[in-house]
Every structure is written in C-alpha cells, then in structure tokens.
Amino acid sequence: MRIPELGLAEFSDDQIKGRIIADLERARARTRLLTDALDDDELAQQHSRLMSPLVWDLAHIGNQEELWLLRDVGGREPILPETVDQLYDAFQHPRADRPALPLLDPQSSREYIGEVRARVIDVLERTPLHGRRLTEGGFVFGMVAQHEQQHAETMLATHQLRQGNPVLDGPAPPLAGGDALPAEVLVPGGPFTMGTSVHPWALDNERPAHQVQVPAFWLDTVPVSNADYQDFIADGGYQQRCWWSPAGWQHVQQVGLEAPLFWQQDGRLWLRRRFGRLEPVPPDEPVMHVCFHEAEAYARWAGRRLPTESEWEKAARHDPETGFARQYPWGDDEATPDRANLGQDHLQPAAVGAYPAGASPLGIQQLIGDVWEWTASDFTPYPGFSPWPYREYSEVFFGPDYKVLRGGSFAADRVACRGTFRNWDYPIRRQIFAGFRCARDASPGEG
Ligand SMILES: [Fe+2]
C-alpha cells in the first residue's frame, strides 16, 4: 500500500545543529521569562494542586536535558549528586507532593540548568547526527527542546491559576480578517495518511504513517467562540441533563460547573480572569478553559458532535488535490506569526478568523495555534506503534482514561506543534488552554 507522505527537505548536520541551538535558546528564553517574573517565595509555592511549584519545573527541565543529552548522548558524569535525579522524576512524585520535596532553591536551579546547557552545546558540537537512532536527524535534541517548551506551556497555565497581581503582559493578537466565512466546510470522504514516518523530531505516538478511511463530514471553519458558548449557557445548557453524557452530567453535578473556568458573571456581563486581570469575555475569541465534557455537551446542544482525531487530522493535513498529507494546514513550511498564534507571543487566543494565511486547502482556519481542540477520541496507539525512546513517553497513557487534543494553543511553541502532534488529558481538565470545534456527518451524496 502506498502511504503518500512527503519527505522533509534534506539538511546538513550543521544546518540541523543551528536549528537545534535556536530552538533550545528560544525555549530557555521563555523559561527564564516565566520564572524571573516571580520572586523566590512564589516560585517555591504551589499555586494549584494540579501544578508543580515552578521551581520544580525549572530544575526538572535541566535534569531531563542532563539525563538525555549529557549522560546518554555525551557519556558525561552527573553534575549533581545522583540522589537529585529522583526528586525531578515526574513518575516518582505526583505534582501534589512536589512542594514537600527537598528541591534545589531557585538560584541553585538557575545555576544548574545554565551549567547543563553550556555543556550540551559542547556535546552537540562533537555529536554526529547519524549512525545512532537516538541522535538521528537531531531527534533527542529536538525531544529536549519540545520538552522544555511543553513545560513552558504548563508553567504558563500555573501563572493563569496563580492568585495575585499581574506579572505577565503581551501584545494583543491580530484582529479577524473581515471576510465572511462559511460556518462549516465539507471534507470529502476517502483515504488519507495519518501520522508520520518521516518527520525526524516526531514523537513515538505520532508514528508510523498509516492510511485511514474517513467518510465525508462537515467541520466548523473556526473554533467555537465565546459568544457561541454564552448562548449555550443562556439556554440553560448546564442545567439540562439531555445534553450531557452520563459521566459528564455526574461531573457537572458533583463539581457544580456553570461556565468555563476563570469566568464570573457581573449582572448580565461575563467577565474572565486572565493572568491576574479581570476583563470582559471577548465574544469573538475561541472559548477556552472548558473540559471535554463541556465541549461534548455544547456540541450535542448545537445538534452536532466533536470531530474524531482522524477527522481533525484529515482536515488539517490532507491536500485533496495532490493526495499527500501536509505537515501543517497551509503546507510544509514552518509556522510563522501570520499563519498561527503560537509561542506565547500573545497571551490569549486571537479572534476567530484572524489567521486566513494559516487556512487549510479547504479553507478551515486556526487548526494550529490559539486553543488546543478536544476531539472525541481516546488516546490510543497507531497500528505499528512502538515505544520510543522510553515507555513512559506515551505508552503508559494509552487507553480510555485520556482524550486526545489537537492543534496546539497560543501557549505552545512551534517546535512542539505540527499537524501530526497529539496531546492528551483527562476529560475533566480545564486549566489547559483548550477549546474545540464541532463536526457533523455528511448526508449520503454529499462529498
Ligand atoms: Fe517533564
């Protein structure tokens, strides 16, 4: 069977190394900004039981970098006593327990991660990027850059959960394009290539490329907006059992959900707290901080459903003209600021319709960036999956407990976001920067 997936351009080792250094440096600049914004007490404090103290994230980032790049790739001796490793092992200590650990203080953490990075640059210079699977095409260096950026997104979520004066600021995102967009787009039925076997920095759960038959379906042109979601609230959506799955309804009753996380009502006006500032909810921004159950209930109320993961990826990658899968909706070129709202450049999603340059071949917008999008799918392995480079990266999470999210948020960096990238979380989680869009089956004869 032919799996139509375009290979990536060939780059020299020097070009890849230049790219690795740029990605590592961009990640570190973000880590510094997010941790320098708070004093030592706030760094050591736990702002929510869902999150680590930021000082844990800080040294954990450096410890993972040391384990993979210095000790494994470089064959170097540990920088700190080896007992330090277990403090920063995410599988040994759940987030809620991390504040009680004898962690490095902020200053020692900064010195440690700086020392690791200096030595990594030296190891990178000496390491050939072929001949060993771990370093092939710079994979493990890319994995470490993605890891630090994933923590930058988690650390930003910690900032959002934190109470206190605002300490972060960013420029406003672009405005909506002004063109009237169709509410939904028909994605024709037929096979498409899901996942990748050629992206050198793709993680194990994105592999391998395989053909999937996806029947024709309709998908929203843009994510569901705050104004759309307010209609659901105003129509009594949270009070009517008929829109909710049994698990969703039980959760809503138990926790008393009435609106997205961080929203509050002032008379008839909805306000939200965003990084310490209270502001009116912008009507045309994608709705955010809703859990899977809320997304699913809204879709049912709207007479629709959530897209499956394969529908989402087909909409984002499949080029009906060539039959090839693209890396991104707009093609194979990298994400740029005019194509997608990524990288914490703006500390919020942009209005729906703000990124016409990032549209898919069929004209679907904002699939990449702005908000993670809940899908209807459980997190499961692709046919032919094999764990790499360690079982705990993905394999231990496969199963019905986690729902897949796609597309990346404004808080995700471009190194950790592509058309094949898969994120997963519990269906009750709301602190993540997640929203959704809706789909529906096509009628027979359509597409
Ligand atoms: Fe981590």
Side-chain angles (χ1 to χ4, degrees):
M1 181 167 56
R2 193 176 71 107
I3 302 287
E5 185 188 21
L6 286 179
L8 297 183
E10 288 290 317
F11 294 105
S12 69
D13 273 19
D14 280 352
Q15 285 171 314
I16 297 171
K17 287 180 180 183
R19 167 67 189 268
I20 288 168
I21 289 171
D23 283 337
L24 288 173
E25 283 178 352
R26 192 171 67 256
R28 187 52 48 86
R30 181 53 50 181
T31 300
R32 272 203 214 96
L33 191 149
L34 292 170
T35 49
D36 289 352
L38 297 174
D39 63 26
D40 285 9
D41 285 349
E42 283 218 74
L43 288 175
Q45 195 180 319
Q46 189 172 40
H47 297 277
S48 156
R49 281 184 60 82
L50 294 175
M51 312 306 274
S52 313
L54 291 173
V55 74
W56 185 92
D57 288 280
L58 189 59
H60 165 79
I61 286 166
N63 187 242
Q64 286 290 303
E65 185 168 330
E66 185 191 358
L67 288 171
W68 285 106
L69 303 185
L70 296 186
R71 291 195 227 164
D72 190 319
V73 175
R76 307 282 178 100
E77 291 300 312
I79 293 178
L80 298 172
E82 269 180 282
T83 48
V84 170
D85 292 340
Q86 60 82 22
L87 297 174
Y88 297 100
D89 181 342
F91 287 91
Q92 284 199 41
H93 307 286
R95 285 178 178 176
D97 300 347
R98 291 173 192 168
L101 298 172
L103 301 174
L104 298 178
D105 63 36
Q107 190 47 36
S108 314
S109 301
R110 288 184 178 109
E111 286 167 10
Y112 169 56
I113 70 168
E115 182 59 38
V116 171
R117 180 56 58 84
R119 298 186 194 188
V120 160
I121 300 304
D122 181 53
V123 166
L124 177 63
E125 278 169 14
R126 298 159 187 265
T127 304
L129 301 184
H130 45 81
R132 186 186 172 201
R133 185 172 173 199
L134 196 62
T135 49
E136 190 71 39
F139 168 78
V140 71
F141 293 94
M143 184 181 84
V144 164
Q146 292 178 69
H147 177 254
E148 182 159 354
Q149 289 288 9
Q150 284 161 349
H151 275 274
E153 181 160 7
T154 312
M155 289 193 286
L156 191 69
T158 304
H159 272 273
Q160 171 61 16
L161 286 160
R162 161 187 171 267
Q163 304 285 337
N165 292 333
V167 295
L168 298 177
D169 220 343
L175 301 171
D179 296 340
L181 297 171
E184 54 183 355
V185 171
L186 178 68
V187 181
F192 99 102
T193 305
M194 188 168 184
T196 178
S197 298
V198 296
H199 193 298
W201 293 7
L203 302 163
D204 60 0
N205 62 62
E206 297 167 73
R207 298 170 179 274
H210 57 290
Q211 280 212 342
V212 182
Q213 285 288 343
V214 179
F217 67 101
W218 292 87
L219 187 66
D220 287 354
T221 310
V222 293
V224 169
S225 71
N226 287 323
D228 298 333
Y229 199 80
Q230 283 175 35
D231 290 344
F232 170 66
I233 300 174
D235 196 38
Y238 281 92
Q239 286 78 45
Q240 293 165 3
R241 186 179 190 151
C242 56
W243 310 130
W244 301 80
S245 67
W249 182 248
Q250 192 189 13
H251 181 64
V252 166
Q253 297 295 298
Q254 223 165 42
V255 186
L257 300 186
E258 293 179 327
L261 186 59
F262 308 116
W263 284 30
Q264 55 181 269
Q265 212 167 7
D266 181 14
R268 293 186 58 183
L269 186 68
W270 280 105
L271 303 174
R272 69 171 177 192
R273 190 165 52 78
R274 183 172 66 86
F275 301 114
R277 293 181 180 84
L278 200 61
E279 60 187 24
V281 169
D284 54 358
E285 229 178 65
V287 68
M288 185 166 66
H289 298 305
V290 287
C291 69
F292 168 83
H293 295 305
E294 290 168 295
E296 195 187 39
Y298 172 94
R300 197 170 288 129
W301 168 82
R304 304 165 65 76
R305 59 174 174 80
L306 294 179
T308 63
E309 183 183 13
S310 49
E311 286 174 335
W312 190 97
E313 188 170 322
K314 184 173 185 182
R317 296 185 61 213
H318 183 65
D319 182 347
E321 213 152 279
T322 63
F324 282 105
R326 302 166 154 203
Q327 273 210 76
Y328 302 99
W330 55 83
D332 292 318
D333 296 338
E334 284 232 59
T336 47
D338 65 318
R339 291 183 173 126
N341 182 7
L342 290 168
Q344 305 182 14
D345 290 348
H346 314 287
L347 293 178
Q348 65 193 93
V352 297
Y355 289 93
S360 76
L362 295 169
I364 304 169
Q365 295 199 16
Q366 284 163 300
L367 286 155
I368 299 289
D370 290 299
V371 288
W372 288 101
E373 297 183 19
W374 287 108
T375 72
S377 302
D378 294 341
F379 186 47
T380 54
Y382 290 160
F385 168 84
S386 71
W388 172 258
Y390 59 112
R391 275 196 71 237
E392 287 78 12
Y393 188 79
S394 311
E395 197 180 34
V396 296
F397 300 99
F398 288 142
D401 291 348
Y402 295 94
K403 292 291 178 188
V404 172
L405 298 117
R406 287 304 203 101
S409 73
F410 70 90
D413 185 79
R414 62 180 189 266
V415 77
C417 185
R418 50 194 164 262
T420 54
F421 194 91
R422 307 170 79 195
N423 187 5
W424 63 92
D425 215 327
Y426 290 119
I428 61 168
R429 285 289 181 254
R430 309 210 295 168
Q431 87 282 2
I432 53 177
F433 303 107
F436 63 99
R437 73 179 74 212
C438 297
R440 65 181 172 97
D441 297 348
S443 315
E446 285 178 331

